Amino acid sequence: MRNASMTEAPMLDPGFIAQLLPFDPFDPAFLADPYPIYAAIREKGPVTRTPLGLWAVTGHEVSSAVLRDPRFGWGDGATVADHFRTTADGSVVRPFIFADPPEHTRIRALVGKAFAARQVDRMRATAERIVRELIEATRAEAGDGPIDLMAAVAHPLPGRMQNALLGVPEEYAARFDELSADIARGLDPSFLLTPEEVTRRDQARAELYGYIGELAEQRRTDPGTDLISELVSVEEGGEQLTPDELEVTCTLLLSAGYATTVNLIGNGMLALLRAPEQRDWLRAHPDQVSAAVEEMLRFDPPVQMISRVALAEAEIAGQLVQPGDQVMLLIGAASHDVEVYRDPERLQLDRQGTRNLGFGLGPHFCVGAPLARLTAQAAVSALSALDLELVTDSPTRVPNIIMRGLAELPVRVVD
């Protein structure tokens, strides 16, 4: 962003935020339902500029073009420097999702090779088993009382899936989940977080680095079939991940993947429970759960915004963008673009057509998307088969803006 730096902003300064963003992220109405607000912004055009110079993109076609365009990336990384790691020798390691080519290309190739389809496909039976265990345990404990689907399924399932994929020992698993949640909460820019949230994020990240480094050392001498073993040994063109890169990469996969999957399950189940005719359709077409999850991803995406920096002069929907300008792609708005989706405010599980942007697009497309989709499919398939009813139609939301999710989702099982 040319006219102001996010990293120089006073934390939680309402005046700054009002000048930076085209909406109030702390407005209860926005937290409850941002889509009418996005629609009002989109009426001004697919791209608008805020007083502090941020370009807000609401159109699906324009967002897709920016995500594919190599003229947009991270530049010096100043806006996401809080997520970098400074090593003991003073060097800085960026998570690869916040890097530009060739650094991003090198690490992405190594991670993608280790995160092969075979690693994810073999997890399907595991996901289905874990969901069954979670539901059975929760129902036995709750009896006739209400069940919080976030605590019962949406939170523990992604954690257990990721721990299984990475080969995390049972004695570490609960702590890994806690650390992943603290880091995920801190994915918002620091100026939107309280000092306590920033401290918890940074402490959790440092602790997780230590755990992963310890596991990586074990896998070097005693490799298994887990992802950490693959990342330790993977090689592409003579390149391998350094120990610091491996720790940063695994921490990123755990925190971002955890948050995305938790919120995909929670947002998707809330939408499904609010649309009983769609739940009936899914029960009649259980083999279409993959398409159903894609529509849930579009309808209320867990990742609401993706940031980019202009690396060169470029044009966005007729607007000239200069090098260094900050561009915010409002994925939530693009997912409800009336130019692309017919009746976008309606959940329609058999919707056909344009690919949604819930996991990004282009070279930075989410490497963990296959695991997130598989995990969500297992959860939705099992939960949609139960007779559930909402205890409240307006469950509490977590006050994040990058990630959109629920603090709770209380339901009753109707016998």
Side-chain angles (χ1 to χ4, degrees):
M1 186 168 52
R2 293 166 59 83
N3 298 336
S5 170
M6 284 187 179
T7 57
E8 296 172 356
M11 189 174 293
L12 298 175
D13 181 341
F16 174 85
I17 294 170
Q19 294 288 302
L20 176 67
L21 300 173
F23 53 83
D24 178 1
F26 302 112
D27 179 1
F30 178 82
L31 288 174
D33 185 4
Y35 302 104
I37 297 171
Y38 289 151
I41 298 170
R42 194 171 51 242
E43 287 178 359
K44 302 174 184 177
V47 180
T48 60
R49 197 176 195 192
T50 67
L52 282 179
L54 180 143
W55 296 96
V57 180
T58 58
H60 187 285
E61 182 179 348
V62 180
S63 295
S64 300
V66 171
L67 287 170
R68 291 190 179 103
D69 194 329
R71 293 174 297 178
F72 295 92
W74 291 104
D76 62 9
T79 61
V80 288
D82 287 337
H83 301 288
F84 297 177
R85 181 184 187 185
T86 301
T87 64
D89 64 2
S91 59
V92 176
V93 180
R94 291 194 191 194
F96 73 92
I97 65 167
F98 299 132
D100 297 322
E103 181 183 1
H104 172 269
T105 306
R106 178 181 70 84
I107 299 179
R108 172 70 186 234
L110 292 167
V111 173
K113 191 173 182 180
F115 214 95
R118 60 183 174 83
Q119 285 278 33
V120 174
D121 288 344
R122 66 183 177 86
M123 300 292 290
R124 188 172 299 277
T126 301
E128 294 169 352
R129 174 182 56 79
I130 293 173
V131 172
R132 287 196 304 271
E133 293 173 353
L134 291 172
I135 292 174
E136 289 170 3
T138 300
R139 294 192 67 179
E141 182 179 348
D144 295 331
I147 295 171
D148 177 7
L149 288 187
M150 299 305 294
V153 176
H155 281 286
L157 174 61
R160 288 180 62 177
M161 287 292 291
Q162 289 185 330
N163 290 342
L165 184 69
L166 269 72
V168 175
E170 187 63 32
E171 62 267 26
Y172 286 0
R175 186 58 180 155
F176 264 54
D177 292 350
E178 293 171 357
L179 297 174
S180 296
D182 283 343
I183 299 170
R185 173 66 188 100
L187 292 174
D188 273 355
S190 289
F191 68 86
L192 292 175
L193 303 173
T194 66
E196 293 77 13
E197 288 169 333
V198 171
T199 298
R200 283 204 305 273
R201 177 198 67 193
D202 293 346
Q203 290 177 343
R205 189 183 291 147
E207 186 176 343
L208 200 51
Y209 288 155
Y211 279 129
I212 292 169
E214 181 181 329
L215 292 175
E217 283 303 310
Q218 293 174 7
R219 300 301 193 273
R220 286 188 177 93
T221 57
D222 185 20
T225 59
D226 56 87
L227 184 59
I228 290 180
S229 295
E230 293 279 350
L231 289 171
V232 165
S233 62
V234 71
E235 184 175 335
E236 180 76 22
E239 294 280 354
Q240 286 187 295
L241 292 172
T242 68
D244 288 316
E245 288 172 342
L246 188 147
E247 291 169 19
V248 168
T249 295
C250 287
T251 298
L252 168 72
L253 293 173
L254 282 167
S255 55
Y258 173 86
T260 301
T261 313
V262 166
N263 296 326
L264 174 55
I265 294 170
N267 294 351
M269 286 307 302
L270 176 60
L272 193 64
L273 292 172
R274 285 172 167 172
E277 78 288 350
Q278 292 300 301
R279 181 172 54 175
D280 291 344
W281 181 89
L282 183 55
R283 285 175 170 176
H285 303 84
D287 59 323
Q288 295 299 307
V289 68
S290 175
V293 167
E294 290 306 299
E295 172 64 357
M296 292 172 178
L297 182 66
R298 179 207 68 83
F299 183 77
D300 198 7
V303 178
Q304 290 278 302
M305 303 169 201
I306 298 176
S307 179
R308 290 288 183 268
V309 175
L311 306 178
E313 185 176 278
E315 188 175 291
I316 303 178
Q319 302 290 330
L320 189 62
V321 177
Q322 297 296 327
D325 279 1
Q326 183 82 8
V327 180
M328 184 67 78
L329 309 174
L330 301 181
I331 301 302
S335 298
H336 286 241
D337 189 341
V338 293
E339 297 296 324
V340 174
Y341 299 107
R342 181 178 179 181
D343 197 10
E345 307 308 318
R346 176 176 176 265
L347 182 73
Q348 183 182 336
L349 299 185
D350 63 347
R351 187 183 295 273
Q352 303 293 319
T354 304
R355 178 181 182 179
N356 70 60
L357 302 177
F359 288 115
L361 197 65
H364 284 274
F365 179 78
C366 177
V367 70
L371 181 63
R373 285 184 162 115
L374 182 152
T375 304
Q377 289 165 17
V380 170
S381 180
L383 291 172
S384 64
L386 300 175
D387 288 324
L388 303 176
E389 65 178 17
L390 290 168
V391 172
T392 172
D393 194 52
S394 301
T396 305
R397 288 275 176 186
V398 179
N400 287 32
I401 68 164
I402 301 297
M403 292 283 181
R404 173 170 166 79
L406 294 162
E408 61 179 6
L409 183 54
V411 301
R412 285 191 182 90
V413 180
V414 182
D415 293 327

